[in-house]
Amino acid sequence: MADLKQWCRNLEAERITMSGLVPTLLYWLLDLPEASSHDLSALRTVYYGAAPMSPSKLKQLQDRFGNIFLQIYGSTECLQPATTLCKADHIGADPKRLASAGRVSLTVELRVMDEAGNPLPAGATGEVWIRSRATISGYFNNPKERRPNFAMASGSRAILAISTNKAFSISSTARRT
């Protein structure tokens, strides 16, 4: 919590316009009384990710700070966001959209697959497969880990399969490339 207080002081002092926070810290920001005593009006974009965001908490954040939020979803093995929920997607959005992973990035192919490697419909639970020019083709000096996690695609890039035991939803607004 002390770091979040310092974050508020830094934002105010430096007139910072963009920052990234995980949802838990954004929730704390709502609960931190001192946060409302800081002038954070210079803040124009807050990107969040790494965990699902509660649509009701997001609504509270929007009421307090305005439409400055941008969600990103990705993985360490893919050096670009795989999906985004841009500021415009947050305006008047229903909770289902706000709970989604957003739109698939233009240069990414993303699929949710079953255990046999078959595509699943939107909203289904399965493995997230990501393919892009920014996806690594394997782990350095660890070929053994490469086999279960990567399936070679055309060219030198791989499809990354991320196992998940939670529902990963691609909203009905997602574009599939």
Side-chain angles (χ1 to χ4, degrees):
M1 195 66 91
D3 289 339
L4 192 57
K5 291 177 185 178
Q6 184 61 48
W7 179 83
C8 288
R9 286 191 289 274
N10 290 346
L11 282 179
E12 182 178 34
E14 301 294 327
R15 304 291 297 159
I16 294 172
T17 61
M18 182 170 73
S19 186
L21 291 173
V22 296
T24 301
L25 290 178
L26 288 167
Y27 302 162
W28 285 359
L29 188 60
L30 283 173
D31 297 334
L32 183 66
E34 295 91 342
S36 59
S37 66
H38 292 279
D39 178 9
L40 305 179
S41 62
L43 198 56
R44 297 285 178 248
T45 302
V46 172
Y47 57 92
Y48 63 92
M53 173 73 87
S54 159
S56 63
K57 292 282 189 181
L58 183 55
K59 175 76 170 99
Q60 291 175 37
L61 287 159
Q62 287 177 302
D63 291 345
R64 184 159 173 191
F65 296 103
N67 189 42
I68 63 170
F69 297 95
L70 169 77
Q71 183 205 132
I72 56 174
Y73 171 84
S75 70
T76 302
E77 295 84 358
C78 185
L79 303 174
Q80 74 176 84
T83 67
T84 58
L85 196 61
C86 67
K87 291 178 188 180
D89 292 330
H90 285 79
I91 298 172
D94 64 20
K96 186 176 178 182
R97 179 189 296 175
L98 294 177
S100 78
R103 297 176 189 269
V104 177
S105 299
L106 290 176
T107 59
V108 170
E109 180 182 351
L110 185 143
R111 297 180 183 161
V112 179
M113 310 294 272
D114 67 16
E115 290 178 6
N118 300 309
L120 292 169
T125 301
E127 286 187 338
V128 178
W129 288 21
I130 300 169
R131 178 171 47 192
S132 82
R133 294 184 54 81
T135 304
I136 66 172
S137 59
Y139 298 111
F140 183 68
N141 287 336
N142 196 349
K144 190 174 177 183
E145 278 301 308
R146 181 170 182 257
R147 260 181 269 114
N149 295 314
F150 297 90
M152 286 310 293
S154 60
S156 62
R157 298 298 174 191
I159 294 176
L160 169 66
I162 305 166
S163 293
T164 177
N165 58 2
K166 295 182 179 177
F168 176 90
S169 65
I170 302 173
S171 74
S172 58
T173 62
R175 284 179 279 135
R176 298 179 191 253
T177 58

